[in-house]
Amino acid sequence: MGTKKLSGESSYTKRYDGRKFDELRPIIAKVGIVPSADGSAMYQSGKTRAIAVVRGPRLLHPKHLENPRKGIMRVTYQMMAFSVWDRIKPGKSRRGQEIGKVSEWAFNEVVDLDAFPNSVVDLIIQIPQADAGTRVAGINAAAMALAQAGIPMSEMISAVASGKMDRTLVVDVDKEEEDYEDGEGATDVPLAITSRSKKITLLQLDGKISVPELRDIISMSKKACEKINAIQMKALKEPGKEIKG
Ligand code: CDP
């Protein structure tokens, strides 16, 4: 896919890092990075790295949160203090809570905890290194960790943040692109997509975009997610091995 322009010229004619407009950053995926966990995985896209650890299903404390009909999932997301140039303040942040919540919703569509009443699955996402797209990298790592833990899932989930630099549509936005200011500036669209039925379970939008452009972003992201899914599946078949793509 080439440059998409609705009308007029876009000022963003070449990507900073030389990638094609529909090209993902180099990927590394590895399943089984924390041996004592029920499931764990790492997903790296360029300089953004996410790790995810699953503990459970196990009995839920505090007890008043228990659901006697089915298990619940608790998702936490945190950037590590050294993940960006400015030190990240440890502890809870509004951004971290938002990302934890949208990641949880992204999995609600596929995770089935009916067989685990009164129980909890804890999903912990940590970001050791951030260069934009950490929520989608976290979701990719989490999907592998949940699958390794044997949590019943109707399908896998893959995620990518595509976007628009001025009028040019690009897949897998990095931090330098996210900060693009010329023309219409940068728009960032994180998306999570299920592997078989292609349902969108996360769609956020930071910026300004037309409906046709958003449709194009969704179709570019769907293709990118198929590539990501192939790498996730390969990593799940070979725990302990770094799978590159
Ligand atoms: O990481 P993601 O794109 O999902 O979320 P964001 O809130 O749009 O953040 C974009 C990027 O900004 C992060 O990936 C980091 O590289 C950077 N960031 C930062 O430097 N300091 C923060 N406190 C938060 C984000």
Side-chain angles (χ1 to χ4, degrees), residues 77 79 84 88 95 99 130-135 175 178 188:
Y77 161 103
M79 299 223 295
V84 288
I88 297 282
R95 176 178 171 275
I99 296 178
D131 186 41
T134 62
R135 74 195 64 201
K175 183 68 181 149
E178 211 184 70
D188 176 30

Side-chain angles (χ1 to χ4, degrees), residues 103-111 136 138-144 146-147 153-160 191-196 199-202 225 228-229 232-233:
S103 304
E104 187 182 311
W105 293 336
F107 283 104
N108 277 350
E109 183 69 26
V110 296
V111 168
V136 288
I139 288 170
N140 290 333
M144 292 187 284
L146 288 164
M153 280 198 284
S154 53
E155 9 183 352
M156 273 295 275
I157 289 201
S158 308
V160 71
L191 273 161
I193 296 166
T194 63
S195 54
R196 231 176 333 99
K199 279 190 195 134
I200 294 171
T201 63
L202 167 94
C225 282
I228 294 167
N229 180 254
Q232 288 171 304
M233 297 313 287

Side-chain angles (χ1 to χ4, degrees), residues 177-206:
E177 287 186 328
E178 211 184 70
D179 294 338
Y180 191 74
E181 284 182 346
D182 284 357
E184 295 180 4
T187 299
D188 176 30
V189 187
L191 273 161
I193 296 166
T194 63
S195 54
R196 231 176 333 99
S197 56
K198 310 290 177 201
K199 279 190 195 134
I200 294 171
T201 63
L202 167 94
L203 192 164
Q204 294 184 284
L205 203 156
D206 186 6

Side-chain angles (χ1 to χ4, degrees), residues 24 27 35 39 43 71 77 93 98 106 111 113 125 130 137 158 163 168 171 184 187 199 201 211 234 240:
L24 289 158
I27 296 171
Y43 182 89
Y77 161 103
S93 70
E98 175 217 316
V111 168
L113 297 177
I125 298 168
S158 308
T168 308
V171 160
E184 295 180 4
T187 299
K199 279 190 195 134
T201 63
V211 171
K234 216 167 160 193

Side-chain angles (χ1 to χ4, degrees), residues 69-144:
R69 283 182 301 280
K70 60 180 203 163
I72 63 161
M73 189 156 82
R74 258 189 320 215
V75 183
T76 54
Y77 161 103
Q78 250 179 352
M79 299 223 295
M80 292 183 179
F82 49 78
S83 59
V84 288
W85 186 249
D86 295 326
R87 178 175 174 273
I88 297 282
K89 232 171 59 191
K92 277 191 178 172
S93 70
R94 283 183 62 162
R95 176 178 171 275
Q97 282 177 296
E98 175 217 316
I99 296 178
K101 217 52 203 162
V102 296
S103 304
E104 187 182 311
W105 293 336
F107 283 104
N108 277 350
E109 183 69 26
V110 296
V111 168
D112 177 7
L113 297 177
D114 284 2
F116 307 102
N118 301 321
S119 302
V120 65
V121 171
D122 277 307
L123 167 60
I124 299 121
I125 298 168
Q126 296 268 351
I127 309 297
Q129 203 171 276
D131 186 41
T134 62
R135 74 195 64 201
V136 288
I139 288 170
N140 290 333
M144 292 187 284

